[in-house]
């Protein structure tokens, strides 16, 4: 991944983490790496764990950010979550997968954040 895409991704993850914090979520981990891929954000809200995939777009070239969560990406997310839960056997709570989609077109405009809850139910 080139440095420009990395910067956009990191910026989007920062915005998503701030949004979750403002909404009362505790961020437990950011950029958690597993053999199956990365979990962008891991949060807790009460007695529920939330695994968050963040997708950020600064142009219309590749469609809406949420459209980038393909079936293959979903499988990697679920495998990564399974790995995380095996590495943390003390966690015994409900969990869900959310997608936070961030768009900013043009680059000088305010970012639009759309939060999709429980997307892989």
């Amino acid at each position: 991944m080139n440095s420009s895409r990395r910067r956009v991704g990191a910026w989007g993850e920062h915005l998503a983490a701030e949004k979750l914090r403002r909404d009362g979520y505790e961020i437990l981990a950011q950029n958690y790496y597993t053999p199956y891929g990365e979990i962008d954000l891991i949060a807790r809200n009460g007695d529920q764990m939330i695994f968050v995939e963040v997708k950020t777009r600064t142009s219309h070239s590749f469609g809406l950010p949420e459209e980038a969560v393909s079936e293959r990406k979903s499988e990697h997310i679920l495998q990564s979550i399974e790995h995380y839960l095996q590495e943390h056997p003390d966690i015994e709570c409900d969990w869900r997968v959310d997608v936070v989609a961030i768009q900013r077109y043009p680059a000088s405009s305010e970012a639009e954040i759309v939060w999709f809850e429980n997307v892989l139910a």
Side-chain angles (χ1 to χ4, degrees):
M1 182 183 305
N2 68 36
S3 63
S4 176
R5 286 181 55 200
R6 247 184 246 134
R7 277 194 307 275
V8 169
W11 171 76
E13 289 170 5
H14 173 77
L15 285 181
E18 289 303 311
K19 167 90 173 122
L20 269 68
R21 283 187 190 99
R22 279 193 311 275
D23 289 354
Y25 289 68
E26 176 187 5
I27 303 298
L28 302 176
Q30 226 173 317
N31 305 115
Y32 184 86
Y33 292 94
T34 77
Y36 308 99
E38 175 190 3
I39 302 172
D40 293 330
L41 298 169
I42 301 172
R44 181 183 289 277
N45 187 18
D47 61 351
Q48 189 171 50
M49 297 279 296
I50 299 88
F51 297 93
V52 182
E53 177 67 16
V54 180
K55 291 297 181 188
T56 307
R57 294 288 183 267
T58 56
S59 80
H60 294 291
S61 299
F62 298 103
L64 296 172
E66 61 271 20
E67 293 173 340
V69 183
S70 64
E71 186 175 326
R72 182 171 182 228
K73 179 64 178 174
S74 297
E75 290 172 11
H76 286 243
I77 292 169
L78 292 173
Q79 289 170 326
S80 296
I81 292 168
E82 187 175 312
H83 179 84
Y84 178 86
L85 293 172
Q86 288 174 355
E87 292 288 312
H88 299 86
D90 55 312
I91 296 174
E92 296 182 9
C93 62
D94 290 333
W95 58 271
R96 70 175 198 246
V97 179
D98 291 359
V99 171
V100 175
I102 300 172
Q103 302 178 71
R104 185 172 74 171
Y105 331 117
S108 61
S109 67
E110 181 95 14
E112 177 185 338
I113 301 172
V114 181
W115 186 347
F116 299 90
E117 293 185 10
N118 206 25
V119 296
L120 299 180

